[in-house]
């Protein structure tokens, strides 16, 4: 008898709980699936579902905070090396110049990128500039090839420029970067490619939140000699006094190889600094977003719990009223 009365009272209160529209459920990012929601007419989702989502967001936030701290530690270690390496290539720029507008037939674009992601758009920027250089220096009598450093540039350039890739080198930062390692790498590149101009694309580090895409140009000894004979910025080479029995061509060959290794060393370090700085910024933004999402989920959880308590109280009062009646 009491159960029949409770059923009748439940039917009386059912119209007071208006069902939530299905479209609203689907448009809300915090809305559960139809399996989690239960019968139509219930205006709250399961508290267990919200708790699971809150736990997932907290775990993600812990990971992003830890990655930010690791990136900050690596940045401090690399930044000092990058600042010291700038003194290596600057004398070469003063002596041999940096001529991005030099018109040559054989161009090699050296694209420096990272092996890992989660560092913003620094790799995409380098790839876009490399593609632009390739298009700019292409022609009926010109040849442009790629030398790729890093997995991220490789993944993007292999898709549409596979036939133009001359050499791919990855896992460059597996060990701490030093000049010996980079000079061996530069020697490997010079042995495997024929070039008139090497155009090195990298991200120059300015601060944690700022990096500038940069292109450095290293000319072959023949092009340097041609530019020196035609005057201009390289016309002062003949004013230097040369000691020893080496010819001018041999000296220019040695200078070009040493210049390339020094520029490469600085470029790799600058790009590594930019990578860690960009990763710090990306992980900081991710941590803040996770915190905002956690606040919204906490509010949803409290509302859900309150709605559940209110519904239970209504059921108890309805049952008591039915028994009294």
């Amino acid at each position: 008898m009491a159960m029949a009365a409770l059923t009748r009272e439940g039917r009386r209160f059912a119209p007071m709980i208006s069902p939530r529209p299905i479209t609203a459920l689907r448009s809300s990012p915090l809305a559960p699936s139809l399996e989690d929601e239960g019968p139509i007419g219930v205006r709250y989702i399961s508290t267990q579902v919200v708790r699971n989502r809150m736990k997932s967001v907290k775990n993600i936030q812990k990971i992003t905070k830890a990655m930010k701290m690791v990136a900050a530690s690596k940045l401090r270690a690399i930044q000092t090396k990058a600042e010291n390496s700038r003194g290596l290539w600057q004398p070469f720029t003063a002596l041999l110049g940096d001529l991005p507008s030099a018109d040559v037939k054989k161009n090699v674009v050296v694209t420096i990128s990272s092996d890992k992601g989660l560092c913003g758009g620094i790799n995409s920027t380098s790839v876009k500039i490399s593609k632009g250089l390739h298009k700019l220096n292409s022609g009926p009598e010109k040849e442009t090839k790629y030398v790729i450093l890093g997995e991220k540039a490789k993944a993007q350039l292999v898709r549409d420029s596979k036939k133009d890739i001359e050499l791919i080198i990855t896992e460059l930062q597996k060990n701490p970067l030093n000049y010996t390692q980079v000079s061996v790498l530069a020697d490997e590149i010079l042995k495997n490619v024929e070039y008139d101009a090497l155009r090195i694309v990298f991200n120059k580090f300015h601060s944690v939140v700022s990096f500038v895409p940069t292109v450095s140009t290293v000319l072959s000894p023949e092009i340097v000699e041609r530019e020196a004979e035609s005057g201009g910025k390289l016309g002062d080479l003949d004013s230097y006094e040369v000691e020893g029995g080496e010819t001018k061509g041999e000296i220019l060959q040695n200078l070009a190889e040493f210049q390339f290794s020094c520029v490469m060393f600085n470029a790799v370090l600058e790009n590594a600094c930019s990578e860690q700085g960009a990763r710090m910024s990306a992980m900081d933004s991710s941590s803040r977003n996770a915190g905002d999402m956690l606040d919204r989920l906490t509010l949803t959880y409290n509302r859900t719990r309150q709605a559940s308590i209110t519904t239970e109280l209504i059921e108890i009062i309805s049952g008591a009223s039915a028994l009294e009646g």
Side-chain angles (χ1 to χ4, degrees):
M1 194 73 174
M3 291 299 295
L6 186 59
T7 303
R8 287 196 301 274
E9 292 296 323
R11 288 174 182 170
R12 284 177 53 199
F13 281 93
M16 298 176 63
I17 305 177
S18 59
R20 190 188 303 183
I22 298 300
T23 56
L25 281 173
R26 289 177 179 172
S27 62
S28 173
L30 297 177
S33 61
L34 293 177
E35 292 79 2
D36 295 332
E37 181 191 5
I40 295 178
V42 179
R43 299 204 305 174
Y44 58 88
I45 62 176
S46 169
T47 55
Q48 184 63 39
V49 173
V50 183
R51 277 200 303 268
N52 290 340
R53 293 182 184 178
M54 290 171 66
K55 185 177 178 181
S56 300
V57 173
K58 284 180 181 177
N59 291 337
I60 292 172
Q61 191 178 40
K62 289 179 183 177
I63 293 171
T64 55
K65 286 182 177 180
M67 290 184 68
K68 179 186 174 183
M69 293 174 63
V70 171
S73 176
K74 289 182 177 180
L75 176 61
R76 283 193 294 270
I78 301 173
Q79 188 174 358
T80 305
K81 290 184 179 180
E83 291 172 352
N84 293 334
S85 69
R86 291 171 187 170
L88 285 174
W89 62 268
Q90 288 170 350
F92 287 104
T93 303
L95 176 63
L96 301 176
D98 189 346
L99 302 176
S101 59
D103 187 19
V104 296
K105 292 184 178 180
K106 294 182 180 180
N107 291 276
V108 176
V109 180
V110 182
T111 306
I112 300 176
S113 68
S114 64
D115 289 316
K116 299 178 181 178
L118 300 177
C119 53
I122 64 168
N123 297 315
S124 299
T125 304
S126 296
V127 170
K128 285 179 182 177
I129 293 176
S130 299
K131 289 181 178 179
L133 286 172
H134 187 278
K135 186 176 181 181
L136 185 64
N137 293 287
S138 297
E141 297 181 358
K142 294 183 178 180
E143 182 183 18
T144 305
K145 296 291 185 180
Y146 286 114
V147 172
I148 301 173
L149 276 68
E151 286 284 352
K152 294 304 174 180
K154 170 190 169 184
Q156 295 185 51
L157 289 173
V158 161
R159 287 197 295 264
D160 52 0
S161 305
K162 189 173 182 179
K163 61 182 178 61
D164 295 325
I165 296 175
E166 196 76 19
L167 186 64
I168 298 175
I169 300 169
T170 57
E171 297 185 356
L172 184 61
Q173 299 183 41
K174 192 173 183 180
N175 298 316
L177 293 169
N178 54 60
Y179 179 75
T180 304
Q181 177 187 359
V182 177
S183 62
V184 172
L185 175 67
D187 188 54
E188 185 72 18
I189 293 173
L190 293 176
K191 286 180 180 177
N192 286 278
V193 298
E194 294 181 2
Y195 73 97
D196 290 330
L198 291 160
R199 307 185 188 276
I200 304 160
V201 181
F202 63 98
N203 293 283
K204 188 178 179 65
F205 178 78
H206 277 198
S207 66
V208 175
V209 294
S210 174
F211 56 89
V212 179
T214 307
V215 180
S216 292
T217 305
V218 177
L219 301 177
S220 67
E222 295 79 10
I223 302 299
V224 170
E225 193 167 358
R226 187 192 74 184
E227 294 290 332
E229 290 174 356
S230 62
K233 190 170 183 180
L234 300 182
D236 297 332
L237 279 177
D238 292 331
S239 63
Y240 288 91
E241 208 173 291
V242 179
E243 295 181 358
E246 294 181 337
T247 63
K248 184 179 178 181
E250 292 173 344
I251 293 173
L252 289 176
Q253 179 72 32
N254 294 333
L255 282 175
E257 293 177 1
F258 192 35
Q259 180 191 14
F260 179 56
S261 63
C262 291
V263 171
M264 277 289 295
F265 182 52
N266 175 254
V268 168
L269 289 174
E270 294 278 2
N271 199 80
C273 282
S274 301
E275 175 193 348
Q276 299 303 334
R279 185 170 287 118
M280 280 182 62
S281 299
M283 293 302 103
D284 183 56
S285 299
S286 299
S287 299
R288 288 201 304 269
N289 292 339
D292 294 341
M293 187 177 292
L294 196 58
D295 291 341
R296 293 197 297 271
L297 285 171
T298 302
L299 183 62
T300 303
Y301 174 76
N302 291 336
R303 286 177 175 174
T304 302
R305 188 167 55 86
Q306 194 64 41
S308 176
I309 293 171
T310 304
T311 303
E312 290 176 2
L313 286 174
I314 290 174
E315 291 175 354
I316 292 171
I317 293 170
S318 300
S321 299
L323 290 174
E324 287 177 0

